[in-house]
Amino acid sequence: MGRGRLPAPRGLGCCILVLLLLLGGSGSPGTAPPPRGPWAEEQGPVPERGPWGRTRYEAVKKHLGAVGALSKQYWQYVACKVWQEGCEEEKEQEERESSAIASWGFPLVGQDYLEILSAWYCSFGKCCETGDCRIINNITGLEADLSEQLHGQHLAKEVVVRAVQGFLQSPQPRKALVLSFHGWSGTGKNFVARMVASHLYRDGLKSECVRVFVSLLHFPHHNYVDSYKAQLQRQISETLQRCRQPLFIFDEAEKLHSSLLDAIRPFVAHDNKGKADHQRSIFLFLSNLGGNTINEVALDFWRAGRAREEISMELLEPRLRLELQEAAENGYAHSHLLRENLIDFLVPFLPLEYHHVKLCARDAFLARGLPYTEATLDEVAQMMVFVPKEEKLFSAQGCKSVPQRINYFLP
């Protein structure tokens, strides 16, 4: 993309003009300014002793000319940082113009400040090839939004925030961060993945540093698995070259062919000698595997009269790992990722109860700016199917269809 000739900003000159008017445009302290402004020269002579005498007028004119040249220099520097074509051709012209500035000194002249100005400009648009200028890593915001918007998942909130924060703060990670989300559909796995993307990158899932793969959408036919494998490795490599901190999300991971999992392994293994760029990668795998074990533990706690918040990772993760290892004919469960302990955390998503569904309904109404009452939230929750048959404790669909259900209550 070529760089067009854009007008230099006049904001700097305007600010200096205002300062000159405030500092030099008022007479001696305690005296009122004369009624004639700088344009009064056309109407008659201005006394030399007044605040806008000929000497003062010429000085201000000279200074504003210097400000204009300096402001143009700033703009040309920023433009060259963003659009580099043609900058060399203008270098000599810039030097000639800068030599004409009447010995002005200004506090913001310097490489550091211009770099800051360039980075500020980059934050508003696509300006850098690597996409690094749009990485924000807002862990505080991630933690706050998960606490407010993710319901019934105390384990997922804690594990995801701590794992991501620790990984990003590590000066030299030994390997890529790999998290595997497990649980029933509608419990929040995709929601958390989107939240991670939106708080690590300014553009969220649309960022060039984020790649999302859905098994049945991107790799539907096993007959083409060799082609898929080459394509997947190429896409991961290209993203690694473009971004120092890429995020890869694999939805429906349990449906990935074993060959595709083998293709991912080199990017998450410990033996990445000379491949430090791989070590700044984050991989999220989303799967329904393990949902039965997670639900059984949650049901046992409920039957024992214990709060679900008492369920710990120390209790649940070993049982979850055991179920995955015993899963028959499943490539993901028996892949190198599990066998070689390349997955850092198996993140359990607990089944959602009636009051969690009501909170999801409340969020859906608020997101669309619609009014609601407690009775309305109850009606939405009662439209869902709850299991087991006797207790009717957990929503079989989680919160997945709640946003569509509120359409029944529109006026």
Side-chain angles (χ1 to χ4, degrees):
M1 176 179 176
R3 176 168 62 91
R5 302 286 298 182
L6 299 176
R10 296 184 173 86
L12 185 60
C14 293
C15 292
I16 298 297
L17 177 59
V18 172
L19 289 174
L20 289 172
L21 289 174
L22 292 176
L23 297 176
S26 55
S28 59
T31 62
R36 307 175 73 176
W39 55 87
E41 185 181 6
E42 299 177 1
Q43 303 171 357
V46 178
E48 193 70 24
R49 296 170 61 89
W52 279 99
R54 170 61 60 180
T55 303
R56 181 68 58 83
Y57 174 79
E58 291 296 336
V60 170
K61 182 179 179 181
K62 181 179 180 181
H63 288 169
L64 288 181
V67 169
L70 184 62
S71 179
K72 184 178 180 181
Q73 276 192 315
Y74 270 88
W75 176 245
Q76 288 176 343
Y77 182 88
V78 174
C80 283
K81 294 289 290 184
V82 180
W83 304 284
Q84 298 179 1
E85 295 84 353
C87 290
E88 292 295 332
E89 301 174 1
E90 299 181 1
K91 186 175 181 181
E92 295 182 1
Q93 179 66 23
E94 293 176 11
E95 292 176 353
R96 288 195 296 270
E97 292 180 0
S98 63
S99 63
I101 297 179
S103 64
W104 264 65
F106 200 74
L108 291 182
V109 176
Q111 183 74 12
D112 293 340
Y113 293 98
L114 293 174
E115 291 289 350
I116 293 174
L117 187 60
S118 176
W120 169 81
Y121 182 89
C122 285
S123 68
F124 289 95
K126 272 188 173 179
C127 64
C128 47
E129 297 178 356
T130 63
D132 290 352
C133 68
R134 302 185 70 77
I135 294 176
I136 54 177
N137 290 344
N138 182 12
I139 300 300
T140 302
L142 174 63
E143 184 175 13
D145 284 351
L146 287 180
S147 297
E148 182 179 350
Q149 302 178 37
L150 181 64
H151 308 300
Q153 305 297 351
H154 67 285
L155 293 176
K157 292 177 186 177
E158 180 180 4
V159 174
V160 170
V161 171
R162 288 191 177 185
V164 173
Q165 183 177 33
F167 176 75
L168 296 179
Q169 290 178 347
S170 176
Q172 190 173 0
R174 295 178 57 248
K175 60 180 290 293
L177 176 64
V178 183
L179 303 179
S180 189
F181 297 171
H182 297 270
W184 269 5
S185 177
T187 52
K189 300 186 297 296
N190 277 281
F191 178 77
V192 172
R194 291 196 302 269
M195 294 281 279
V196 170
S198 65
H199 286 86
L200 297 190
Y201 309 90
R202 192 181 302 275
D203 299 324
L205 291 178
K206 297 181 180 179
S207 171
E208 294 181 351
C209 295
V210 179
R211 296 302 302 262
V212 179
F213 301 95
V214 182
S215 297
L216 295 182
L217 176 64
H218 294 93
F219 318 111
H221 305 293
H222 285 183
N223 293 335
Y224 303 106
V225 68
D226 290 336
S227 175
Y228 294 152
K229 181 177 179 179
Q231 177 185 353
L232 178 59
Q233 288 185 321
R234 183 179 67 255
Q235 291 175 338
I236 293 177
S237 297
E238 290 175 352
T239 307
L240 287 168
Q241 294 174 1
R242 183 166 56 246
C243 300
R244 60 181 171 85
Q245 181 192 295
L247 171 65
F248 303 98
I249 302 173
F250 293 86
D251 196 7
E252 300 177 343
E254 73 277 4
K255 298 181 177 67
L256 285 172
H257 193 276
S258 58
S259 295
L260 297 177
L261 295 168
D262 291 339
I264 299 172
R265 180 195 170 279
F267 300 100
V268 300
H270 293 84
D271 55 355
N272 278 326
K273 296 180 180 179
K275 299 180 180 180
D277 51 344
H278 295 186
Q279 299 172 2
R280 280 295 175 188
S281 308
I282 301 176
F283 287 78
L284 303 181
F285 294 92
L286 285 53
S287 172
N288 292 335
L289 289 176
N292 292 334
T293 293
I294 297 171
N295 295 351
E296 288 174 4
V297 172
L299 184 60
D300 289 342
F301 268 67
W302 181 83
R303 287 171 174 169
R306 302 176 63 183
R308 61 190 283 138
E309 288 72 21
E310 297 181 35
I311 301 175
S312 65
M313 284 291 294
E314 291 77 15
L315 171 67
L316 192 49
E317 189 175 19
R319 299 189 186 186
L320 178 58
R321 188 176 295 273
L322 182 60
E323 180 185 345
L324 295 182
Q325 292 173 347
E326 293 178 349
E329 297 181 359
N330 187 278
Y332 183 71
H334 296 282
S335 67
H336 292 286
L337 300 179
L338 274 174
R339 289 205 310 257
E340 299 179 17
N341 294 318
L342 298 179
I343 297 177
D344 297 293
F345 293 97
L346 299 176
V347 185
F349 283 73
L350 303 175
L352 299 181
E353 301 176 9
Y354 184 88
H355 64 283
H356 300 134
V357 176
K358 287 184 61 177
L359 291 173
C360 292
R362 180 204 63 185
D363 293 346
F365 277 106
L366 291 174
R368 298 177 62 174
L370 299 174
Y372 65 90
T373 63
E374 282 297 318
T376 304
L377 299 183
D378 279 317
E379 288 186 65
V380 174
Q382 290 168 6
M383 296 174 69
M384 309 296 286
V385 177
F386 288 85
V387 294
K389 186 176 181 180
E390 297 78 14
E391 292 86 352
K392 293 186 177 180
L393 179 62
F394 304 132
S395 171
Q397 302 143 298
C399 284
K400 197 165 190 175
S401 61
V402 165
Q404 289 73 35
R405 302 277 177 169
I406 66 174
N407 293 329
Y408 289 96
F409 302 91
L410 297 180

